[in-house]
Amino acid sequence: MDAFGLLPDFGNFFATIAAFVVVLSIIVAVHEYGHYIVGRWSGIHADVFSIGFGPVLASRTDKRGTVWQFAAIPLGGYVKFAGDSGATSAKDDDAMSGLSAAERRRTMHGAPLWARAATVAAGPVFNFIFAFVVFAGLLFYEGIAVDEPVVGEIAELPAGPFGLQQGDRVLSVGGIETETLSDFLTAAQDLPAQPVLDYTVLRDGAQMEVTGPHPMPPLAGSVAMKSAARDAKMRTGDVITAIDGAEIATFNELREKVAESEGAALDLTVWRAGEELALTLVPRSTDLPLPEGGFETRYLIGLTSGAVFDYGTRTPGALEAAGLAASQLWTITRTSVEGLYYMILGQISTCNLSSPLGIAEASVAKASDGLVEFIWFLGVISVAIGFLNLFPIPPLDGGHLMFHAYEAVARRPASDQAVRVLMTLGLAMVLSLFVFALFNDLTC
């Protein structure tokens, strides 16, 4: 049994908080460990490694003199290096005064520029590395589809049972030949909208005619976060059999009905494990990234098409998995950059910006979808945290790197007064963005 799957029944405020704390603690630990380990490799001593802020709940001191601790407020974390006045990494002038050259070298503020810059950059870099490992690991765990339509486990549908069996190699469906999996998926666009179709399959070396479901039934493969379907408690595996009383047999018909609604309420008849449910959903205007870049706005209810049966999979090679994971990492980063750009231009809604409250809601939603979905979500959030921290705004890592870049060009560090002013302005910007994102999560 998947323990995460119990959350839809017991999900509440405490489950949301617990899921959020788990997600944030893991991501923060990865980020701060990047700072810590590269700082250590660079000769900078860490006084404190903390997950959370405020009163210390548990701690231990390692042989290098670093205090590792958990604090009561689980809203982030920090590494306090030697010479820092606190979690913000500001210089402690009193602590720095009177130190020998060797002692100053072990502080963040007395280390060479390259060591300081590498230590600061390591946090976001480790977030990206963690996401890469997550994506690659999931590819190894789940495999990737083989390029031939071999029947795995067949989805539970109201029109069943079917003549298809696991292991069948589909040669044609509805009279359309399917030499590859791509052919099988493409055939779905041209086949008649019928719940049951004729299949030609190869079974145990013999060719035979059987019946099977439409390749693209109105089956929920996943339920998007913050969507009409999620709010209506729809689940993966639900089958939409009718919209406003009119029967449908394919996911394309569902997609067309939703697009035609232009945001008007839809009455859905949903089949779930033999039980028929009546749900009313209101499609929402949603900004979707396009493969070629940019966004388009469409009305959606938050469902993706489910596979009519599990396709055969294979374990990718190391280089193939690395390439696919890197591609996914790049796509998420590129989409994030484009999203911010189009929000600034006013071409897509600012409701796409979420606060920690939105992340908390998404955390429990993904936890309820299963462990694999939850781990994938950790990778996505790790990319987002790494990307956000590279913004050239103090006190984010990107702001510190901006100071280091100035020092490299000007051959002298920025004045303490300028750093304090920019830190104050940057903190005000970050807090303003947080409040705006929180308003979005409460109103959008």
Side-chain angles (χ1 to χ4, degrees), residues 189-431:
Q189 309 300 323
D190 301 320
L191 290 168
Q194 300 173 189
V196 181
L197 294 168
D198 293 326
Y199 280 68
T200 302
V201 302
L202 187 65
R203 180 184 300 168
D204 297 328
Q207 183 172 309
M208 59 182 63
E209 305 295 326
V210 297
T211 60
H214 192 285
M216 190 179 287
L219 170 68
S222 65
V223 184
M225 297 174 290
K226 298 178 68 174
S227 66
R230 176 77 67 172
D231 291 345
K233 309 299 183 185
M234 289 195 69
R235 302 177 186 173
T236 299
D238 284 353
V239 182
I240 297 88
T241 58
I243 301 177
D244 292 336
E247 293 186 357
I248 63 171
T250 69
F251 199 88
N252 277 340
E253 291 176 284
L254 170 64
R255 185 181 290 118
E256 290 168 1
K257 291 286 187 181
V258 171
E260 292 169 0
S261 73
E262 295 186 348
L266 297 173
D267 294 323
L268 271 57
T269 303
V270 176
W271 185 90
R272 179 184 295 165
E275 181 183 2
E276 198 169 85
L277 308 173
L279 302 175
T280 299
L281 284 72
V282 180
R284 298 176 183 174
S285 177
T286 307
D287 300 308
L288 297 174
L290 297 171
E292 65 274 14
F295 287 76
E296 68 171 347
T297 302
R298 287 166 35 198
Y299 282 101
L300 301 174
I301 60 174
L303 297 180
T304 59
S305 175
V308 65
F309 51 75
D310 291 340
Y311 307 125
T313 61
R314 62 178 177 83
T315 301
L319 289 179
E320 184 180 16
L324 292 171
S327 177
Q328 190 166 22
L329 186 64
W330 167 248
T331 298
I332 295 171
T333 305
R334 176 179 61 81
T335 302
S336 299
V337 173
E338 290 179 346
L340 285 174
Y341 174 73
Y342 286 110
M343 273 191 280
I344 292 171
L345 293 181
Q347 295 182 11
I348 64 173
S349 172
T350 55
C351 287
N352 290 284
L353 190 65
S354 290
S355 71
L357 175 62
I359 296 175
E361 293 174 342
S363 298
V364 75
K366 282 300 179 184
S368 70
D369 287 340
L371 185 57
V372 169
E373 286 292 318
F374 186 71
I375 293 174
W376 176 85
F377 179 70
L378 281 175
V380 173
I381 293 299
S382 190
V383 175
I385 295 298
F387 172 69
L388 176 65
N389 268 279
L390 288 176
F391 281 24
I393 302 172
L396 302 178
D397 293 329
H400 290 286
L401 290 174
M402 179 179 66
F403 292 141
H404 295 329
Y406 171 84
E407 183 177 346
V409 173
R411 298 187 179 278
R412 59 182 175 83
S415 69
D416 291 342
Q417 182 177 0
V419 170
R420 283 193 294 268
V421 170
L422 290 174
M423 281 286 191
T424 302
L425 292 175
L427 182 60
M429 291 177 63
V430 171
L431 291 176

